[in-house]
Amino acid sequence: MAALTMHYTVDGNDFTLAGDCSSKVKKSLTQLGFDPATIRKVAIAMYEGEINMVIHANGGFIDVSIEPDKIVAVLNDHGPGIADINKAMQEGFSTASNKVRELGFGAGMGLPNMKKYSDEMNISTKIGEGTIVTLTFYTNKTNN
Amino acid sequence: MLLKDIIKLTDSKLLSGDENKEINGCYIGDLLSLAMSKVQKDNIWITIQSNINIVAVASLTEAGCIIICEGFDPDDGVVSRAKDENISILQSQLSAFEISKILVCNGF
């Protein structure tokens, strides 16, 4: 079976739309019959990624590929890049502004949650150029 | 417990959603990333956050309802977005502790 692919634009200026891509992917996965546990993992990790793209990188693109045995989400931004990935992976470490924190974000849980809820996470980042995060989820499909 | 019973017990106002649905379990917290990973399907999520992003978190986690506590008013657009997404939002003057105490004392 050929992979089903979806392409989304994340608007970096609009906090009110953050979560839209994750919601759309969640709906598609539900329609395709993926099991709720897999859908929840994908939704949480993608939402965190989407929020990161809005908070830190002025938006970007997300490409999702859905195959029977796995879902791959590639989050691509042209933000500032991540200076220290090890630090960024520590729970509680955040470079988010106070304004963002007041909204309930910036707790330093984004990347750790993305790693926790995906089966594989790969980060490719370059200062001044941007970041590409690839999330892979292996699936347990309940019906076809 | 039905949402309408929760509304009655906690003297909350229903801002959006269906009051006849069954609600189980509860998570209290204001950090959206934590809520994202902790709120389970059909849970009550009690928070003082009142910005539009709470609707996305409730939708993705399939929360049973959001209770905005301590009398905070939702920001503009929150209630209409919640109606579009079929998310129930209650507003309560009580604190998170008072709400949970009442619910637990009533067998929740």
Side-chain angles (χ1 to χ4, degrees):
Chain A
M1 181 184 119
L4 174 64
T5 58
M6 293 179 280
H7 180 78
Y8 301 99
T9 303
V10 178
D11 185 340
N13 297 310
D14 196 347
F15 248 107
T16 65
L17 293 175
D20 265 21
C21 304
S22 334
S23 293
K24 284 175 187 155
V25 171
K26 185 180 176 216
K27 275 174 198 149
S28 300
L29 294 177
T30 306
Q31 283 164 2
L32 290 166
F34 286 95
D35 73 297
T38 302
I39 295 171
R40 181 177 168 88
K41 283 164 58 183
V42 175
I44 292 173
M46 274 197 64
Y47 180 72
E48 294 286 5
E50 220 180 318
I51 291 294
N52 276 351
M53 289 166 83
V54 177
I55 293 175
H56 299 289
N58 199 30
F61 300 99
I62 300 180
D63 286 286
V64 180
S65 132
I66 302 173
E67 296 175 43
D69 60 334
K70 67 178 177 183
I71 298 154
V72 180
V74 181
L75 295 76
N76 196 330
D77 70 58
H78 293 104
I82 302 170
D84 187 335
I85 292 184
N86 286 333
K87 252 188 177 171
M89 287 305 302
Q90 285 171 18
E91 285 190 10
F93 176 83
S94 176
T95 57
S97 67
N98 283 337
K99 182 179 164 254
V100 165
R101 287 168 199 256
E102 279 168 18
L103 293 172
F105 299 110
M109 297 292 292
L111 282 170
N113 266 355
M114 288 163 75
K115 187 171 175 64
K116 184 174 163 190
Y117 287 98
S118 61
D119 294 306
E120 283 168 24
M121 179 167 86
N122 185 274
I123 302 175
S124 158
T125 187
K126 216 165 189 185
I127 297 298
E129 289 187 18
T131 300
I132 300 170
V133 180
T134 306
L135 301 168
T136 305
F137 308 88
Y138 295 103
T139 62
N140 306 301
K141 208 167 180 187
T142 49
N143 59 58
N144 288 297
Chain B
M1 189 178 275
L2 290 175
L3 188 57
K4 61 181 173 192
D5 298 324
I6 292 167
I7 295 170
K8 208 179 285 171
L9 285 168
T10 59
D11 198 18
S12 298
K13 198 161 95 185
L14 181 70
L15 304 181
S16 66
D18 170 19
E19 62 175 18
N20 286 310
K21 66 173 153 185
E22 184 72 32
I23 306 288
N24 296 295
C26 178
Y27 177 74
I28 302 170
D30 304 318
L31 288 174
L32 301 191
S33 282
L34 271 182
M36 233 2 246
S37 59
K38 300 278 184 171
V39 176
Q40 302 293 321
K41 189 175 187 299
D42 300 328
N43 275 181
I44 300 172
W45 173 29
I46 306 176
T47 182
I48 55 161
Q49 291 293 347
S50 49
N51 66 71
I52 192 94
N53 298 289
I54 60 174
V55 180
V57 171
S59 166
L60 289 168
T61 56
E62 297 177 33
C65 75
I66 304 169
I67 303 182
I68 303 176
C69 62
E70 309 265 8
F72 281 84
D73 286 315
D75 292 355
D76 289 346
V78 170
V79 172
S80 60
R81 174 74 76 91
K83 284 177 180 163
D84 290 347
E85 302 260 342
N86 205 18
I87 300 294
S88 300
I89 299 186
L90 312 188
Q91 186 184 32
S92 172
Q93 300 298 320
L94 303 178
S95 71
F97 173 69
E98 288 166 325
I99 293 167
S100 32
K101 190 174 72 176
I102 290 169
L103 292 177
V104 170
C105 289
N106 284 276
F108 184 74

